[in-house]
Amino acid sequence: MKELQKGKENYVFWLGLILCTVYLSYRYPLQINSAGTSPTYSDTPVMLQIGKFVLAGPLFAIAAVRGLGKTLTPRQWLVALGILFLSGYSLLKVFGDNDVKYLELSFWMLFPLALVLGGDAIRISSIDRYLRFLLIYALGSTAIQVALFIAFGRLPALAYEGTILIRFGGFLDDPNGFGALLFLLMGWSYGRFKGWTRFIILGSLVVSLLLTQSWTAIAFLVAVFFFWVLMVVRKRPWLAVPIICACALLALLVIRETPPSPQTVFENMLNAKQESIEGHSFSWSPWVSRWAKWTLVGDSTYNSYESWWASAPVNFGVPWLVVFIGLIAELIRSLRIGFVGCGSETRPVYSGFLLFGCYFVFGSLSLPFPTIFPINFLFFLFCFLEAFGRIQPEGSTLAHAQR
């Protein structure tokens, strides 16, 4: 990218971002992920699990040293101190229970903070080029996976032969994490392209998201669609009639009885994923009677649950969760202010960041996004770019207004 050539201060930022974006690309070609959830795959070797930390370590050190002299506003200091507290506490818990989830949470909050503070302002055109690369990489990898499955029966991760559960997760080979990236690209593409180009790209992203068979992502997509319809109808009331007619036709298509109807397909998918759906729920019954053991500092061992917001107090304690919620609220607030106050040239990028951030919060109801790499890294990186005023519009010699 041109940003690597423009200034020496930002090469660490871009190396870190590209590294974390493409690191898990080894999964699909090598069929390495988790043998427990992917019958045709083998478990990830320890060297590949720690490889991302080893590669990111030197970049983290360089960026951290460079960021020590940066001046911050009081609000930015609160964000930085909140991150230090949350990640530091998580890291301390590693010594009591050496579960890698503690390290995943701690490191992938600190690393993006160092990258953002250790570099100069990032031009909006550079972020736009990165998102263009991500779009091509995401759609291209999905197309390859689907083509190989149709032609040779090659299964991706989280796929079971002979069933309808064939979930495509793009270059991440992770349907849930890939769904989050698709929302980032949807928000950006909607503002970045016009006409038939926008229609084709958004349509391809929606199809890719449906292929993930992620119920959380599909539910959020439906919510976003209805919100978009409300906004469109408010500005152009005359569009209400064709939109209602289109929705009625879609409803008739779904409930039609001619086999194989979409309704039947939906029911088959629901039945096939029933066990998975139950695994994303959280029961408080075992924890209520033990509240004194986890309320303040969290349980002594990490308890792996899919629902992040429900399980976080059990694993880290209520005070930690309160700080975490406050931090996330401030980061989303920063993205929203940036979106409302940005110009037309920066709006596509902010649209992608904001939609991605909202899905990160929503999706964590049933998925542990704060511990899923690289979704956790990308969320904090994009939020920090705005929160610490590191986004530079084209033609400006100063960073974006600090908030």
Side-chain angles (χ1 to χ4, degrees):
M1 288 185 176
K2 293 182 180 179
E3 191 71 26
L4 289 172
Q5 302 172 352
K6 278 187 174 181
K8 295 182 179 180
E9 291 295 321
N10 286 329
Y11 80 91
V12 174
F13 175 89
W14 288 110
L15 283 176
L17 177 55
I18 298 302
L19 166 67
C20 292
T21 300
V22 305
Y23 183 79
L24 296 182
S25 297
Y26 65 80
R27 283 177 166 178
Y28 181 75
L30 299 181
Q31 290 188 300
I32 294 176
N33 197 322
S34 172
T37 56
S38 307
T40 59
Y41 278 44
S42 58
D43 286 325
T44 305
V46 175
M47 287 305 298
L48 284 176
Q49 293 183 40
I50 67 174
K52 56 183 182 288
F53 297 105
V54 173
L55 294 174
L59 301 177
F60 175 81
I62 296 172
V65 171
R66 288 179 172 175
L68 291 177
K70 296 295 175 67
T71 58
L72 304 176
T73 66
R75 187 178 291 274
Q76 291 169 348
W77 269 114
L78 284 177
V79 173
L81 292 176
I83 289 294
L84 291 175
F85 166 75
L86 294 170
S87 61
Y89 183 81
S90 180
L91 189 60
L92 286 175
K93 297 209 71 171
V94 172
F95 297 103
D97 174 23
N98 57 356
D99 195 295
V100 71
K101 295 296 184 181
Y102 292 125
L103 182 60
E104 291 279 358
L105 180 65
S106 176
F107 188 83
W108 301 118
M109 281 196 291
L110 280 178
F111 184 41
L113 179 65
L115 289 180
V116 169
L117 294 182
D120 290 335
I122 306 298
R123 287 190 177 276
I124 203 72
S125 59
S126 299
I127 301 175
D128 188 79
R129 282 194 293 271
Y130 164 76
L131 291 174
R132 186 184 291 271
F133 153 75
L134 189 62
L135 174 68
I136 296 172
Y137 197 30
L139 293 181
S141 59
T142 299
I144 291 173
Q145 288 184 347
V146 172
L148 291 179
F149 170 71
I150 294 174
F152 306 106
R154 169 67 157 80
L155 294 175
L158 292 177
Y160 297 85
E161 190 173 8
T163 72
I164 199 171
L165 290 179
I166 309 297
R167 306 178 62 187
F168 296 93
F171 63 90
L172 293 181
D173 216 10
D174 171 16
N176 294 320
F178 190 59
L181 291 186
L182 292 175
F183 281 114
L184 168 67
L185 294 171
M186 284 181 196
W188 170 74
S189 299
Y190 183 81
R192 181 66 175 79
F193 303 102
K194 303 295 181 183
W196 280 105
T197 302
R198 177 166 65 181
F199 178 81
I200 293 172
I201 291 176
L202 285 177
S204 300
L205 291 171
V206 169
V207 170
S208 298
L209 188 140
L210 295 176
L211 289 173
T212 67
Q213 294 189 35
S214 172
W215 290 103
T216 304
I218 294 173
F220 188 73
L221 178 65
V222 172
V224 170
F225 172 75
F226 279 108
F227 178 79
W228 174 80
V229 168
L230 290 176
M231 293 298 99
V232 169
V233 171
R234 190 179 70 169
K235 293 181 179 179
R236 302 179 181 87
W238 61 270
L239 286 175
V241 174
I243 289 176
I244 292 174
C245 292
C247 291
L249 288 174
L250 180 62
L252 289 175
L253 176 66
V254 171
I255 63 176
R256 68 186 176 92
E257 296 298 332
T258 304
S261 69
Q263 182 181 13
T264 302
V265 174
F266 177 82
E267 291 175 350
N268 290 338
M269 291 175 59
L270 188 62
N271 293 331
K273 294 193 65 175
Q274 190 61 41
E275 183 177 349
S276 175
I277 294 173
E278 293 175 356
H280 287 268
S281 61
F282 181 86
S283 175
W284 281 102
S285 301
W287 298 103
V288 173
S289 60
R290 302 167 52 194
W291 66 269
K293 295 183 178 181
W294 56 264
T295 303
L296 291 179
V297 297
D299 197 37
S300 58
T301 58
Y302 188 86
N303 302 272
S304 295
Y305 290 102
E306 292 295 302
S307 176
W308 165 260
W309 291 117
S311 62
V314 170
N315 287 317
F316 297 94
V318 174
W320 186 95
L321 178 62
V322 170
V323 176
F324 186 81
I325 291 175
L327 173 71
I328 298 300
E330 172 59 23
L331 293 178
I332 297 297
R333 170 189 169 276
S334 296
L335 290 180
R336 183 181 178 278
I337 292 177
F339 173 78
V340 172
C342 70
S344 58
E345 64 177 8
T346 58
R347 188 167 295 275
V349 169
Y350 275 107
S351 297
F353 285 0
L354 185 58
L355 188 61
F356 177 65
C358 290
Y359 180 64
F360 183 91
V361 175
F362 173 85
S364 295
L365 290 170
S366 60
L367 295 166
F369 276 142
T371 61
I372 295 179
F373 175 83
I375 305 306
N376 47 9
F377 165 82
L378 293 174
F379 169 78
F380 287 111
L381 184 77
F382 297 151
C383 289
F384 292 160
L385 282 175
E386 171 57 24
F388 291 96
R390 293 296 189 266
I391 298 179
Q392 180 179 343
E394 293 304 302
S396 173
T397 56
L398 298 175
H400 194 56
Q402 295 186 358
R403 298 176 176 87

